[in-house]
């Protein structure tokens, strides 16, 4: 039935070649028009996992709690300290500039110059509260005496290490960013905001005496987008290398141009469709188009390999292209459907950015069925070759087959047995070594950027000078109205804050109970032994009133009491440890009237992302492999084919995890699609090789000569494709983006590993199973039009 369908499609397509190409060209022109308008887009909200407890907490209290999407600017004195009039004037200028930047929530701007920075001091007459820099102080009237008073206020107010560097070399200005303009409801354009931050802050205020250090999501994502522009250069280099390699393989510029052109057409369609659907291209998904292009090259080389083999046998190019169409439509479609399902399973991850990436990649792979399996053979059918081409290619094929003939020994039963044993041992080792693999970020700073990038240098510089961590995990405690006046509830929260403060990786905590105890000690001349919370609600209320709502540690109705845990970094291990302490505490020390919720702050958002990736990775891979199992079984009607095709892929996946762990590459929103792609490329190799092997087995040929013929016909193309793609992506190691360099190494490794598995372990498994359990009936012939 399927063979009849393939032949009917073949007659339709090749019977109307010109009409088909005109229609495809028209579609390409329309898509190019829309694709040219595609822009990079990024948003903080796209990073938030939907429906997760931590994200729900963040969204519910985002107008009460701040810090998840924070911009931090540090005015750093290159020499000496900040206690000079000109440096404090510069700090005021930066504060004012940040206050009026688009996208800034002005309520949250905090620096020594803002009125929410207060000093509370115990004197003989009681408590004295004042601004760090009083309203009567102007930048123009700063003198040595005023600067000295400001310095004393900073020390007395406890701002050393938080708003002022521990060695007084810098002062910090912080602000939260809005994800959308509250008036127009337009989303904040972070990619455009980044250069504006650079112009309005660093370019204006940095000079030989003052350094401006800037970190935060907006700056990070814009720096990644800026680096992504350089990615085009590496894509161009990989494209040129691929073109030269394809020409070396087929010795025809016409075949080379057709292969690359059809692979690019699907990208044009992909970009055009994204624009029509209202999507953009996220900077963290900038590698996806090349990955889709790589899949197209893989299928294109198999088409050219089939066509050149038919031409070498004396058939006209048009007939060879038609034979290639019929011979590769089914295995090619199977491989692409598997890759499509692989990328589509990313939709299981409830993170908008990953779902957008899944749509982007799935569209590209789906279009490959048309551009590489239909369009390419039709285009090639119009190619006219010189009279000596068939002879040259035949001689070249014979030389290549001779060079690869030794590999056919893997189908020898004795060799196959040892290969299977070696594969089993490697599989056990890979599973063992890949356990506890990294989920989330492994290194401090922005892992997408190199250590030498300005952003990461700023992050390291700020972390070294300020004792309060830049990564904040906010735990929210919900209580009934005026719950903060209840001593039992406050003691409960104080104990949780103490547990967090004594967790490795937590620099310190900030919570209302701690400040209440500090205030109580203040009423007793600062004696720490009186630093306890009063049992009386009215006494508790008076102490809480000293803290002030501006602290962000309670809301007006006293129903939301956050605990801010300042982490040393945002490594997955650090975040997981702190979250684990909170989970254990609320599970073992529950108190009526208090609901402990995780989590806000930038570390809380990252914790949600890490947990979602960890929870969905296994189901996602099971869906991918389940699809492969079903497609292989339906096509070849043989459980042996399922084992032979799937086990090498599984081994390659676990070795890939081991490779990621060894290189300290965590499983993140940027790396996850690469592992899915690796399975897709491996499926390409496996399907094309096994399809020919099954064909010759169905003709009654013994498995060793059958594999030798399959290897000579598709194995060379498989090895060539893996080498070509590996060399192309290996050039990424020189990229300014670290995550692109890491993905280049990972992809090169996975391309080569899947190729080795396909030409060694796949046939060895087929032989080993046939030897162990001999076949009792005829081998099912795969679907072929010719």
């Amino acid at each position: 039935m399927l063979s009849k369908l393939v032949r009917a499609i073949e007659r339709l397509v090749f019977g109307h070649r010109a009409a088909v190409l005109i229609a495809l060209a028209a579609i390409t022109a329309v898509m190019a028009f829309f694709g040219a308008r595609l822009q990079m887009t990024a948003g903080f909200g796209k990073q938030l996992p939907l429906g997760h407890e931590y994200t729900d907490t963040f969204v519910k209290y985002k107008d009460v709690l701040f810090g998840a999407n924070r911009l931090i600017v540090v005015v750093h004195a290159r020499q000496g300290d900040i206690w000079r009039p000109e440096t404090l004037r510069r700090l005021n200028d930066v504060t004012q500039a940040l206050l009026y930047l688009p996208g800034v929530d002005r309520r949250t701007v905090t620096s020594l110059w803002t009125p929410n920075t207060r000093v509370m001091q115990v004197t003989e007459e009681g408590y004295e509260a004042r601004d760090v820099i009083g309203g009567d102080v102007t930048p123009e009237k700063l003198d040595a005496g005023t600067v000295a008073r400001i310095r004393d206020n900073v020390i007395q107010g406890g701002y050393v290490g938080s708003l002022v560097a521990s060695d007084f070399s810098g002062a910090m200005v912080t602000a939260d960013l809005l994800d959308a303009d509250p008036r127009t409801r337009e989303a904040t354009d972070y990619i455009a905001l980044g250069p504006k931050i650079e112009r309005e802050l660093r370019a204006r205020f940095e000079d030989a005496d003052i350094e401006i250090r800037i970190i935060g999501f907006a700056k990070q994502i814009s720096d990644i987008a800026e680096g992504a522009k350089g990615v085009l250069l590496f894509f161009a280099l990989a494209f040129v290398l691929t073109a030269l390699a394809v020409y070396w393989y087929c010795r025809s510029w016409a075949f080379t141009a057709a292969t690359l052109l059809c692979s690019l057409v699907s990208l044009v369609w992909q970009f055009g469709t994204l624009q029509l659907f209202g999507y953009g291209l996220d900077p963290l998904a900038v590698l996806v188009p090349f990955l889709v292009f790589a899949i197209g090259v893989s299928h294109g080389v198999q088409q050219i390999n089939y066509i050149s083999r038919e031409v070498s046998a004396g058939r006209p190019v048009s007939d060879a292209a038609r034979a290639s169409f019929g011979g590769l439509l089914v295995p090619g479609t199977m491989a692409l459907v598997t890759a499509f399902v692989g990328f589509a399973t990313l939709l299981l991850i409830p993170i908008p950015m990953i779902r957008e990436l899944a749509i982007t990649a799935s569209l590209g792979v789906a279009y490959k069925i048309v551009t590489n399996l239909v369009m390419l053979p039709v285009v090639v059918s119009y190619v006219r070759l010189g009279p000596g081409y068939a002879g040259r290619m035949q001689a070249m094929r014979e030389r290549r087959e001779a060079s690869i003939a030794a590999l056919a020994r893997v189908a020898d039963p004795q060799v196959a047995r040892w290969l299977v044993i070696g594969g089993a041992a490697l599989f056990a080792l890979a599973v063992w070594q890949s356990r506890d693999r990294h989920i989330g970020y492994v290194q401090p700073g922005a892992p997408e950027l190199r250590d030498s990038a300005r952003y990461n240098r700023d992050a390291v510089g700020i972390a070294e000078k300020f004792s309060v961590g830049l990564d904040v995990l906010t735990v929210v405690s919900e209580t009934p109205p005026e719950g903060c006046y209840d001593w039992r509830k406050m003691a409960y929260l104080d104990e949780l804050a103490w547990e967090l403060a004594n967790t490795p990786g937590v620099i310190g905590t900030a919570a209302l109970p701690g400040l209440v105890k500090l205030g109580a000690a203040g009423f007793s001349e600062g004696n720490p032994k009186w630093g306890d919370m009063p049992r009386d609600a009215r006494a508790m209320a008076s102490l809480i009133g000293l803290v002030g709502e501006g602290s962000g540690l309670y809301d007006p109705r006293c129903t939301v009491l956050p605990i801010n845990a300042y982490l040393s970094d945002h490594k997955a291990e650090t975040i997981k440890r702190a979250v684990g302490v909170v989970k254990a505490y609320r599970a073992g020390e529950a108190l009526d009237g208090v609901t402990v919720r995780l989590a806000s702050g930038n570390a809380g958002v990252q914790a949600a992302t890490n947990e979602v990736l960890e929870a969905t990775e296994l189901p996602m891979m099971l869906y991918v492999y389940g699809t492969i199992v079903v497609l292989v079984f339906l096509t070849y009607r043989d459980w042996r084919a399922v084992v032979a095709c799937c086990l090498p892929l599984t081994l390659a996946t676990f070795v890939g995890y081991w490779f990621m762990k060894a290189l300290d590459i965590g499983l993140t929103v940027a790396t996850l699609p690469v592992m899915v792609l690796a399975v897709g490329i491996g499926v390409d190799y496996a399907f094309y090789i096994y399809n020919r092997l099954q064909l010759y087995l169905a003709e009654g040929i013994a498995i060793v000569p059958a594999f030798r013929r399959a290897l000579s016909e598709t194995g060379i193309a498989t090895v060539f494709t893996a080498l070509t793609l590996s060399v192309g992506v290996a050039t990424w190691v020189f990229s300014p983006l670290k995550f692109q360099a890491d993905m280049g190494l990972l992809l090169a490794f996975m391309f080569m590993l899947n190729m080795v598995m396909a030409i060694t372990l796949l046939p060895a498994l087929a032989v080993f199973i046939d030897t162990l359990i001999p076949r009792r009936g005829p081998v099912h012939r795969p679907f072929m039009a010719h």
Side-chain angles (χ1 to χ4, degrees):
M1 181 68 181
L2 185 57
S3 297
K4 293 180 179 178
L5 177 62
V6 172
R7 283 194 291 269
I9 296 174
E10 178 191 320
R11 287 193 297 270
L12 176 65
V13 170
F14 282 86
H16 306 84
R17 290 184 301 168
V20 168
L21 288 183
I22 291 172
L24 294 176
I27 294 173
T28 304
V30 173
M31 290 300 186
F33 172 78
F34 288 104
R37 301 181 178 183
L38 187 69
Q39 295 180 341
M40 279 193 180
T41 59
F44 185 76
K46 290 167 58 177
Q47 312 279 328
L48 304 178
L50 302 175
H52 193 278
E53 175 198 352
Y54 308 170
T55 307
D56 291 344
T57 301
F58 166 77
V59 172
K60 183 176 181 179
Y61 296 112
K62 67 179 180 179
D63 293 329
V64 179
L65 307 175
F66 307 112
N69 186 11
R70 177 166 291 178
L71 185 67
I72 297 174
V73 183
V74 170
V75 177
H76 175 73
R78 298 184 190 271
Q79 300 292 332
D81 55 38
I82 62 169
W83 305 123
R84 293 175 296 186
E86 58 272 19
T87 305
L88 290 179
R89 290 191 192 101
R90 189 70 56 87
L91 178 64
N92 178 69
D93 293 340
V94 170
T95 303
Q96 294 301 315
L98 182 59
L99 189 66
Y100 293 101
L101 268 178
V104 169
D105 187 345
R106 296 178 183 174
R107 300 172 300 167
T108 65
V109 176
T110 304
S111 86
L112 298 182
W113 283 94
T114 54
N116 54 2
T117 308
R118 304 271 289 168
V119 181
M120 187 167 291
Q121 186 178 7
V122 178
T123 68
E124 292 86 349
E125 299 177 356
Y127 275 101
E128 178 183 316
R130 61 184 180 275
D131 293 341
V132 170
I133 301 179
D136 58 336
V137 177
T138 61
E140 296 78 14
K141 295 181 180 180
L142 283 174
D143 54 30
T146 306
V147 171
R149 286 198 303 273
I150 294 172
R151 183 178 185 275
D152 291 341
N153 286 341
V154 166
I155 296 172
Q156 292 168 5
Y159 293 109
V160 177
S162 55
L163 282 180
V164 175
S166 301
D167 60 356
F168 299 131
S169 63
M172 182 183 291
V173 187
T174 66
D176 278 38
L177 299 180
L178 300 167
D179 221 27
D181 189 311
R183 292 172 300 176
T184 64
R185 302 296 180 185
E186 291 184 4
T188 300
D189 187 347
Y190 290 99
I191 295 176
L193 182 59
K196 192 169 294 184
I197 292 172
E198 195 72 24
R199 290 192 308 271
E200 297 296 324
L201 298 179
R202 203 189 315 265
R204 283 179 61 190
F205 302 116
E206 186 171 81
D207 56 27
D209 299 321
I210 298 295
E211 179 185 8
I212 303 296
R213 296 171 173 172
I214 308 170
I215 61 173
F217 172 78
K219 193 70 181 71
Q220 176 183 344
I221 202 69
S222 67
D223 285 1
I224 294 172
E226 187 64 28
K229 296 176 182 177
V231 169
L232 296 176
L233 175 63
F234 291 94
F235 285 175
L237 178 59
F239 181 85
V240 171
L241 291 175
T242 301
L244 294 175
V246 172
Y247 173 76
W248 176 85
Y249 182 79
C250 66
R251 294 298 200 275
S252 168
W253 285 115
F255 284 174
T256 301
T259 302
L260 299 179
L261 175 66
C262 292
S263 295
L264 287 175
V265 164
S266 65
L267 294 186
V268 174
W269 293 7
Q270 179 185 22
F271 291 157
T273 306
L274 286 175
Q275 175 65 20
L276 287 172
F277 284 178
Y279 291 110
L281 188 62
D282 195 280
L284 292 178
V286 72
L287 300 182
V288 171
F290 182 82
L291 303 184
V292 174
F293 175 75
I295 292 176
V297 170
S298 175
H299 287 274
V301 169
Q302 293 290 346
Q303 292 277 0
I304 296 302
N305 177 65
Y306 198 120
I307 293 169
S308 62
R309 185 177 71 244
E310 295 293 318
V311 171
S312 300
R315 299 186 70 173
V317 175
S318 57
D319 291 349
R322 191 162 184 163
S324 175
F325 176 90
L328 298 181
L329 183 62
V330 171
T333 301
M334 285 174 53
L336 288 172
V337 167
T338 304
F340 174 84
V341 171
F343 282 121
T345 55
L346 292 173
L347 291 169
L348 293 173
I349 302 176
I351 299 176
M353 197 213 81
I354 292 187
R355 288 183 169 176
E356 189 175 305
L357 183 151
I359 293 171
T360 302
S362 299
L363 283 172
V365 171
Y367 288 147
K368 291 294 176 191
I369 297 175
V370 177
T371 60
N372 286 83
L373 300 183
V374 177
M375 183 179 184
L376 178 56
V378 174
V379 170
V380 170
S381 68
Y382 283 99
V383 172
R384 295 293 176 263
L385 300 171
Y389 179 81
R392 292 195 304 273
M393 284 303 299
Q394 181 61 28
M396 188 177 299
R397 291 185 65 83
E398 291 174 356
R399 291 195 299 271
R400 290 173 178 169
E401 289 172 7
S403 65
I404 205 172
L407 273 175
R409 290 191 59 198
V410 302
D412 180 87
Q414 295 296 326
V415 177
R417 183 182 303 114
W418 285 109
L419 273 174
V420 172
I421 293 173
L426 180 60
F427 180 77
L429 181 62
V431 171
W432 174 258
Q433 290 292 343
S434 63
R435 75 192 192 287
D436 300 326
R437 57 187 176 273
H438 308 302
I439 304 292
Y441 296 140
V442 182
Q443 302 295 337
E448 297 85 2
L449 303 171
R450 292 192 180 274
D451 294 341
S452 58
R454 178 66 190 265
Y455 183 92
N456 280 339
R457 286 190 283 116
D458 284 355
V460 170
I462 294 173
E464 288 176 349
K465 301 292 184 181
F466 293 82
S467 58
V468 175
L470 309 177
D471 299 295
V472 183
L473 176 71
T474 300
V475 182
V476 178
S477 301
E478 299 175 334
T479 67
E482 300 185 352
C484 60
Y485 305 148
D486 186 332
W487 174 83
R488 291 183 307 112
K489 294 180 174 60
M490 291 286 280
Y492 178 79
L493 300 182
D494 190 42
E495 182 68 21
L496 174 56
W498 187 91
E499 292 282 353
L500 275 172
N502 288 276
T503 301
V506 177
I507 298 173
T509 60
L512 183 61
L515 294 183
V516 167
K517 290 197 294 185
L518 189 64
F523 275 117
S524 301
E525 299 180 341
N527 193 327
K529 75 177 184 180
W530 298 104
D532 199 2
M533 292 180 292
R535 270 60 170 177
D536 181 71
R538 288 174 297 179
M540 183 79 79
S542 66
L543 291 175
I544 290 174
L546 293 174
V547 176
E549 291 182 25
S551 65
L553 296 178
Y554 66 98
D555 70 329
R557 299 176 63 233
C558 243
T559 58
V560 179
L561 307 176
I563 300 173
N564 295 324
Y566 299 97
L567 309 184
S568 57
D569 52 59
H570 54 239
K571 294 181 182 178
E573 182 181 358
T574 305
I575 296 174
K576 189 173 184 179
R577 192 185 301 120
V579 168
V581 168
V582 178
K583 288 182 175 179
Y585 183 82
R586 71 180 182 183
E589 305 290 340
L591 178 67
D592 290 340
V594 179
T595 302
V596 177
R597 293 185 56 159
L598 286 161
S600 188
N602 63 319
V605 171
Q606 188 58 53
T609 301
N610 293 347
E611 289 187 7
V612 165
L613 289 176
E614 189 172 11
T616 55
E617 179 201 9
L618 179 60
M620 185 185 66
M621 296 304 287
L622 289 177
Y623 276 119
V624 174
Y625 279 100
T627 303
I628 296 173
V629 167
V630 171
L631 286 176
V632 171
F633 187 78
L634 289 177
T635 302
Y636 301 118
R637 313 286 177 85
D638 188 355
W639 63 269
R640 293 172 174 82
V642 174
V643 174
C645 289
C646 292
L647 287 187
L649 283 175
T650 308
L651 173 57
T653 298
F654 278 98
V655 173
Y657 285 141
W658 180 10
F659 184 80
M660 289 176 66
K661 183 180 177 182
L663 291 186
D664 280 339
I665 301 174
L667 190 68
T668 65
V669 294
T671 59
L672 187 63
V674 175
M675 294 307 296
V676 176
L677 169 87
V679 175
I681 290 289
V683 166
D684 289 355
Y685 299 157
F687 281 173
Y688 281 120
I689 289 179
Y690 198 88
N691 199 68
R692 303 306 295 181
L693 178 63
Q694 182 94 343
L695 176 65
Y696 295 129
L697 290 175
E699 293 177 356
I701 302 174
I703 193 163
V704 175
F707 175 66
R708 185 177 292 112
R709 290 184 63 176
L711 188 66
S712 67
E713 293 179 3
T714 60
I716 296 172
T718 299
V719 173
F720 166 79
T721 301
L723 287 171
T724 301
L725 296 179
S726 297
V727 170
V729 297
T731 61
W732 294 2
V733 297
F734 303 106
S735 170
L737 294 180
K738 186 178 184 298
F739 90 98
Q740 187 191 7
D742 289 342
M743 293 309 94
L745 285 175
L746 181 60
L747 279 172
F749 178 78
M750 295 304 294
F751 286 156
M752 294 299 295
L753 180 63
N754 276 303
M755 178 269 291
V756 171
M757 292 294 105
I759 65 175
T760 57
L761 190 57
L762 185 153
L765 275 170
V767 172
F768 181 76
I769 295 171
D770 268 16
T771 304
L772 198 64
I773 308 175
R775 297 175 186 267
R776 298 186 180 276
V779 177
H780 175 73
R781 182 181 177 87
F783 297 115
M784 303 286 288
H786 294 273

